[in-house]
Amino acid sequence: MANQVTLIDHPLIHHKLTLMRRAETSTATFRTLIKEVSLLLAYEVTRDLPLKYEQIKTPIAFMNAPVLAPEKKLVIVSIQRAGQGLLDGMLELMPSARVGHIGLYRDPKTLIPIEYYFKVPYDVEQRDVLVVDPMLATGNTAVAAVERLKATNPLSIKFICLLAAPEGIEHFTEIHPDVPIYTTAIDEHLDEHGYIVPGLGDVGDRLFGTK
Ligand code: URA
């Protein structure tokens, strides 16, 4: 495994991911689960956020208490449409983070990503970017999204997904060796349509009930 891949290993995540993988899981349950997992993911990917100390008064005494350093500004960039599922949970934990959207879809024949929307905060140059997309499959979409984001010159970029395929990790790390990947599982391989096996199917369809 490449150095830059962090496999988030937590019993709650494993359990919830298994529920999400089950073909019979309903859209409503899938939506709830992806939100819950994204809260746990957010907890892990923000481990390195810097703290500063402020004097506060508890009901008992004064103390120097840690708070997030305000200069560390985040933007969560969701790759549409499946990224929305991870975005919602992350925002719950980090309500003041800014949000960007990248609209990319995979051409079903070539699997090449086509961009139809791009909007990030005007001050992205002063921000650390968390890119969210549940599936790192071929890696084509993730590679294109990160390429596009790099052109806006943010302070740093992390890529966060639920599931990754070995092919996607290899492709992504070859093109963007400087961008760490966070995932909750690495599955076996891709099928001929670019779906992760065993995977959990098409996240967009399962999230929005479109199939
Ligand atoms: N996108 C999905 O939604 N699922 C996959 O398995 C691969 C890409």
Side-chain angles (χ1 to χ4, degrees), residues 1-11 13-14 17 21 37 40-41 43-45 47 134 136 159-166 169 180-188:
M1 190 195 300
N3 278 344
Q4 65 163 342
V5 182
T6 303
L7 189 57
I8 299 173
D9 186 17
H10 193 289
I13 293 184
H14 292 312
L17 190 57
R21 287 182 188 274
V37 172
L40 296 163
L41 265 169
Y43 179 77
E44 283 297 327
V45 302
R47 249 181 206 293
L136 181 59
F159 183 82
I160 300 148
C161 59
L162 277 181
L163 281 186
I169 292 177
I181 299 169
Y182 293 79
T183 185
T184 66
I186 300 173
D187 272 10
E188 289 166 18

Side-chain angles (χ1 to χ4, degrees), residues 13-165:
I13 293 184
H14 292 312
H15 180 78
K16 288 177 192 297
L17 190 57
T18 299
L19 298 177
M20 292 176 74
R21 287 182 188 274
R22 286 181 191 268
E24 66 272 23
T25 296
S26 70
T27 297
T29 306
F30 190 89
R31 229 177 250 157
T32 305
L33 287 165
I34 200 169
K35 196 163 170 192
E36 290 171 357
V37 172
S38 60
L39 285 169
L40 296 163
L41 265 169
Y43 179 77
E44 283 297 327
V45 302
T46 51
R47 249 181 206 293
D48 57 354
L49 284 182
L51 294 170
K52 65 172 194 137
Y53 284 80
E54 263 179 22
Q55 192 174 72
I56 62 156
K57 186 170 173 286
T58 76
I60 310 294
F62 285 97
M63 74 172 284
N64 259 336
V67 289
L68 288 172
E71 54 276 13
K72 193 73 175 175
K73 298 200 271 183
L74 293 175
V75 52
I76 305 168
V77 176
S78 160
I79 302 181
Q80 295 303 310
R81 65 183 167 145
Q84 191 68 38
L86 290 180
L87 173 66
D88 291 344
M90 296 237 171
L91 274 180
E92 215 156 274
L93 205 63
M94 300 176 275
S96 54
R98 299 297 190 260
V99 175
H101 291 282
I102 302 185
L104 286 169
Y105 69 90
R106 299 196 303 173
D107 181 289
K109 286 212 175 72
T110 63
L111 305 183
I112 288 173
I114 317 279
E115 181 181 313
Y116 62 90
Y117 190 75
F118 185 87
K119 184 91 180 171
V120 293
Y122 71 96
D123 59 352
V124 67
E125 286 192 7
Q126 295 150 40
R127 293 183 179 272
D128 293 284
V129 173
L130 306 175
V131 187
V132 294
D133 188 3
M135 307 298 258
L136 181 59
T138 61
N140 289 342
T141 305
V143 163
V146 169
E147 240 160 44
R148 191 74 170 76
L149 280 165
K150 279 184 173 174
T152 67
N153 216 17
L155 294 178
S156 71
I157 303 179
K158 289 177 179 170
F159 183 82
I160 300 148
C161 59
L162 277 181
L163 281 186

Side-chain angles (χ1 to χ4, degrees), residues 106 135 137 194-196 201-204:
R106 299 196 303 173
M135 307 298 258
Y195 282 100
I196 297 179
D202 188 303
V203 178

